[in-house]
Amino acid sequence: LFDHTIRRQKDGAPRQPVTRVHVDQTRRAAVDRVRLHIPDPEESEKLLKGRYRIVNVWRSLTDEPVQSAPLAFASATSVQPDDLVPVQLRYPNRVGEILGVKFNEGQRWYYWSGMTPDERLLLKCSDSEVVLDSGAGIGESVPHTAFWDDRTPVGARGRESIEVRALVFG
């Protein structure tokens, strides 16, 4: 596990639900993450020769089902390579990169209605063994976003969630 983010949909919260479709890592950023979190160069280079993935574990932090700003995610195999645009993120001590996602009618989107606090969603953000246009039916990464659902009841509690990121090897 290398990172976590808590999001709260309320005034003054430092991290709100993100309403821009994105993928949390590019291929280059995934390689950089391995090197950042496995600081021994021999070990990190050995791990980079095998399969490595970055997976987010997402869950609600409230005791109620998620109604406001639910998380939507695309079928990874419905997203074309040309739909993905690298976006640089600048931090004080390094530069990261995510993927923005352009609209494409062929993308298939889903969300988990009324997700409860005891349910978890795993989002694959990067997979070193998947070739984007392989046609193998396995996606490299899962675009996702919070969205505003017109069916959200007036006065519904704002979303509070956590996402934990993990490096997975092998």
Side-chain angles (χ1 to χ4, degrees):
L1 302 176
F2 66 85
D3 189 18
H4 76 282
T5 301
I6 294 174
R7 300 193 186 280
R8 290 192 166 91
Q9 184 189 4
K10 62 182 181 181
D11 290 340
R15 305 287 302 263
Q16 298 278 339
V18 175
T19 56
R20 292 175 311 281
V21 180
H22 66 284
V23 174
D24 291 356
Q25 308 287 329
T26 63
R27 283 180 176 230
R28 187 179 81 189
V31 169
D32 291 348
R33 281 286 182 183
V34 171
R35 290 181 176 139
L36 177 67
H37 298 295
I38 310 295
D40 178 334
E42 283 186 36
E43 184 179 2
S44 62
E45 294 310 309
K46 179 181 175 185
L47 289 168
L48 287 168
K49 289 178 182 168
R51 186 176 187 185
Y52 54 93
R53 287 154 286 189
I54 296 179
V55 176
N56 283 6
V57 181
W58 189 94
R59 69 167 290 227
S60 172
L61 289 175
T62 67
D63 56 355
E64 302 168 13
V66 174
Q67 292 182 309
S68 182
L71 185 70
F73 49 93
S75 167
T77 58
S78 73
V79 178
Q80 300 303 309
D82 289 344
D83 298 346
L84 304 172
V85 179
V87 177
Q88 195 176 73
L89 299 176
R90 294 183 177 268
Y91 300 100
N93 59 346
R94 66 182 185 84
V95 176
E97 198 171 57
I98 65 170
L99 291 168
V101 181
K102 296 188 292 187
F103 173 78
N104 179 331
E105 283 184 2
Q107 295 169 358
R108 293 185 314 274
W109 283 88
Y110 305 92
Y111 83 103
W112 195 331
S113 178
M115 194 169 177
T116 64
D118 60 339
E119 297 172 316
R120 310 291 184 268
L121 183 63
L122 277 66
L123 299 167
K124 184 166 59 167
C125 294
S126 183
D127 187 338
S128 65
E129 282 197 5
V130 175
V131 177
L132 280 175
D133 56 359
S134 70
I138 300 171
E140 179 179 17
S141 57
V142 177
H144 55 282
T145 185
F147 73 101
W148 308 118
D149 186 348
D150 292 339
R151 298 169 295 173
T152 301
V154 174
R157 181 177 185 164
R159 187 183 101 193
E160 296 185 39
S161 60
I162 185 169
E163 55 206 69
V164 177
R165 295 169 185 87
L167 285 167
V168 180
F169 298 100

